[in-house]
Amino acid sequence: MSEWWTYRPGDLLMVSLRVYERLFVLHNQALWPAQWLALALGAGLLLALWRPAAGRRRLALAGLAAAWGFVAWAFLWQRYAPVNWGIRYLLPLFALQALLLLVLGLGRGVRVTASRRAPARWAGLALVAYAVFGHPLTALLHGHGLAGAEVIGLAPDPLAIATLGVAVLVQPARRGWALLAIPALWCLTSAATLLLLGAPGAWLPLAAVVIAVAARWRPPGCA
Amino acid sequence: MSLESQRLSRRRLLGGLLALAAGAALPPFPARGSEILTREVPAIGEALPLVGLGSWITFNVGDDPLLLEECTAVMAAFFAGGGRMIDSSPMYGTSQATIGHGLATLDAAGKVYATDKVWTSNAAEGPSQIEASRRDWGVPRFDLLQVHNLLAWEANLDTLQAMKAAGEVRHIGITTSHGRRHGTLERIMRDADIDFVQLTYNIVDREAEARLLPLARERGLGVIANRPFQRKRLVRRLAGEPLPGWAAEIGAESWAQVILKFIVSHPAVSCAIPATTRVDHVRENLAAAREPLPDAALRRRMAEHVRAL
């Protein structure tokens, strides 16, 4: 695109808010009743992080890795990319994030903080809990009920927010930062998109990034 | 009957019903003298209705059956109101396929003046991209193909000129928007063998009036005015303002009609291409292309009034 700097951010939008909302409605219709399974797995993730034994930690991170792969294929590639050709350039990042979760999560030397006195632990768990149980309810802000609910494991925003929470909990810090970068980038992209579309709740992915980065700066105690 | 044919039949039936509904919602057959106005494009020796239909964002609806049928209803109202030119681009996501769906549902491939673009920095990909676009539209050939936003314009224009010589497209042109690269566009208009230019022109974006529109008249080129409403921004800006008294003189009942009447009353403009997802808006847009249109003196007053708001 020539003279790209002369375009307003809104000029780069390809879809309307209605089309964007309908993507999630159709996605949910196509996958129903997988939402219940996704919510159950999300609850399992939260429990695994609450009591982070090594086996649970590996299972949780492997499950998250699979979710990044599934969302990239089922939502981004099959639904979003046809109406927004820019999305195809983000797909490799989703694959990279899945790989990072597998390598860092299953590798040796990775821990999940378990200290109940560490504020960052609560921030990480709160992000995961919000992603699993709170974020789907933001569909109500759009005034169309829960048909377009964004559910962890099926839609990118709650998945990215939950991964931010995991990145806050992971030790050592270097590996936590490595897990944080791509979900943060997605959340910023999503916040910008929602803001330009005039969608309610555009600040939520942005707030998740701010909380995750702030919590990550304070190294939590490790079990 | 196969599942696929059942699905298609239901889709066609729904589309037909929507089209009928849209048609029924239109006003009675226009009285003599109130039909949509056309203007001849000397370069092609044909007259086109002054209002067409854009597809940026509005028709990019993926394979959503509900939204596809809404777009089909818009197209039905557009054709019922006398519209012909629909403009799209491979850059517009699934808009071309949406148009193809509408044309097939309405059996309207013979009514449309099919206008599309080539949009690639690698001109070698141009022919295959154009063929993919043609398949999406479901038309035997395009009426007008344009080089999108002057992208690799020399090589892509060579492709279009070769296609025109071979009878694979009827007319060719080049586009820009947002007032960009008018110097290059002017040079192309002077030197290249084209039929149309597409540029941004409306009641506040009037740079084209200085050189490009007079040059288009001199060369007999068709002019397609894009971004008539600055993608809703202009209409939203004016929405809170009362319509001036002179709006009634030109039969304008809304700011959208004021803006469109201003654009299409310029004698060099062949067609404005507002995009919409709403049947009532497409009717409103088409109604703006009816008599009376403002004369030069009123056009000046209109522009001054809007600038002062």
Side-chain angles (χ1 to χ4, degrees):
Chain A
M1 185 184 289
S2 63
E3 298 169 306
W4 56 267
W5 61 90
T6 64
Y7 287 82
R8 292 163 180 257
D11 292 333
L12 306 177
L13 271 184
M14 287 189 65
V15 295
S16 64
L17 176 58
R18 183 148 188 250
V19 168
Y20 187 78
E21 290 170 345
R22 290 275 304 168
L23 288 178
F24 296 100
V25 173
L26 293 180
H27 192 52
N28 283 336
Q29 285 175 356
L31 295 175
W32 179 260
Q35 290 77 4
W36 293 113
L37 176 64
L39 285 172
L41 291 174
L45 170 69
L46 191 58
L47 280 175
L49 296 169
W50 181 268
R51 295 177 174 232
R56 290 185 198 137
R57 184 251 302 162
R58 288 196 193 95
L59 202 59
L61 295 189
L64 264 187
W68 277 81
F70 178 75
V71 168
W73 172 74
F75 183 78
L76 295 188
W77 177 249
Q78 294 210 312
R79 295 206 178 272
Y80 200 6
V83 294
N84 185 350
W85 45 262
I87 288 299
R88 73 185 71 160
Y89 299 109
L90 294 176
L91 285 169
L93 293 181
F94 272 63
L96 178 60
Q97 182 69 20
L99 196 64
L100 277 173
L101 283 162
L102 277 178
V103 170
L104 297 181
L106 302 182
R108 290 184 177 181
V110 173
R111 306 177 302 280
V112 171
T113 185
S115 168
R116 297 192 176 187
R117 283 173 298 186
R121 176 176 186 261
W122 295 107
L125 290 173
L127 283 171
V128 176
Y130 166 77
V132 176
F133 300 114
H135 198 76
L137 301 177
T138 61
L140 299 173
L141 297 175
H142 296 256
H144 307 303
L146 287 171
E150 297 175 42
V151 178
I152 189 171
L154 309 181
D157 282 14
L159 177 62
I161 293 170
T163 309
L164 286 174
V166 170
V168 168
L169 295 170
V170 160
Q171 292 293 327
R174 198 173 59 249
R175 299 193 181 189
W177 283 113
L179 288 180
L180 187 145
I182 292 174
L185 180 66
W186 174 264
C187 283
L188 294 176
T189 305
S190 184
T193 302
L194 293 169
L195 190 68
L196 291 170
L197 287 170
W203 57 275
L204 286 165
L206 184 63
V209 174
V210 171
I211 291 168
V213 170
R216 187 67 265 184
W217 279 117
R218 288 175 59 100
C222 296
Chain B
M1 185 183 281
S2 71
L3 195 63
E4 178 65 9
S5 62
Q6 280 178 8
R7 192 172 65 84
L8 284 172
S9 296
R10 190 174 59 179
R11 178 187 293 175
R12 281 174 184 270
L13 179 63
L14 281 171
L17 289 172
L18 273 166
L20 280 173
L26 283 168
F29 194 77
R32 190 172 179 80
S34 66
E35 286 88 357
I36 183 169
L37 296 169
T38 62
R39 184 170 291 141
E40 182 168 334
V41 179
I44 66 171
E46 285 180 35
L48 289 171
L50 288 176
V51 168
L53 186 62
S55 61
W56 169 238
I57 295 182
T58 52
F59 278 15
N60 183 22
V61 300
D63 59 359
D64 188 322
L66 174 68
L67 301 185
L68 280 170
E69 296 316 327
E70 288 181 6
C71 292
T72 300
V74 165
M75 289 174 63
F78 177 71
F79 290 127
R84 281 191 66 204
M85 177 187 284
I86 299 181
D87 176 79
S88 194
S89 167
M91 184 196 173
Y92 298 173
T94 59
S95 293
Q96 298 174 118
T98 301
I99 294 167
H101 171 88
L103 291 177
T105 305
L106 301 168
D107 194 19
K111 295 178 183 172
V112 69
Y113 184 86
T115 303
D116 209 289
K117 307 185 186 83
V118 58
W119 175 66
T120 173
S121 54
N122 179 5
E125 294 175 355
S128 59
Q129 184 186 72
I130 292 166
E131 175 56 18
S133 299
R134 189 197 64 75
R135 281 198 303 271
D136 278 347
W137 278 68
V139 293
R141 65 174 178 169
F142 285 111
D143 293 292
L144 170 61
L145 279 173
Q146 308 152 98
V147 179
H148 191 143
N149 273 351
L150 292 100
L151 185 61
W153 68 267
E154 286 161 305
N156 281 322
L157 200 53
D158 285 345
T159 299
L160 299 190
Q161 284 169 339
M163 287 182 68
K164 185 181 174 186
E168 294 165 359
V169 60
R170 294 176 64 216
H171 311 126
I172 62 174
I174 197 151
T175 81
T176 185
S177 67
H178 301 72
R180 295 185 178 92
R181 298 177 72 184
H182 278 190
T184 306
L185 189 67
E186 183 179 346
R187 184 158 57 87
I188 296 167
M189 290 168 70
R190 287 193 188 283
D191 300 338
D193 183 14
I194 57 174
D195 305 303
F196 276 89
V197 288
Q198 183 179 141
L199 45 78
T200 295
Y201 177 61
N202 58 56
I203 200 164
V204 292
D205 296 315
R206 298 171 56 207
E207 188 187 325
E209 284 179 358
R211 298 173 70 88
L212 298 179
L213 295 183
L215 179 59
R217 284 195 84 185
E218 179 189 321
R219 303 270 295 153
L221 303 178
V223 175
I224 301 167
N226 62 32
R227 293 177 60 81
F229 304 138
Q230 294 185 324
R231 231 203 91 207
K232 293 185 186 174
R233 193 149 42 89
L234 185 52
V235 176
R236 283 179 181 153
R237 190 187 122 198
L238 297 172
E241 305 288 344
L243 274 183
W246 44 254
E249 294 174 31
I250 54 174
E253 296 173 350
S254 65
W255 277 111
Q257 290 188 334
V258 167
I259 295 165
L260 285 175
K261 279 178 177 283
F262 178 87
I263 296 169
V264 303
S265 61
H266 193 291
V269 171
S270 310
C271 186
I273 47 170
T276 181
T277 57
R278 288 174 48 172
V279 167
D280 58 334
H281 283 174
V282 84
R283 291 168 55 204
E284 181 184 358
N285 294 342
L286 287 167
R290 294 193 182 131
E291 293 282 13
L293 294 181
D295 59 17
L298 183 51
R299 282 173 49 80
R300 279 193 296 277
R301 281 177 62 198
M302 293 167 75
E304 284 165 12
H305 184 94
V306 171
R307 189 170 50 235
L309 291 175

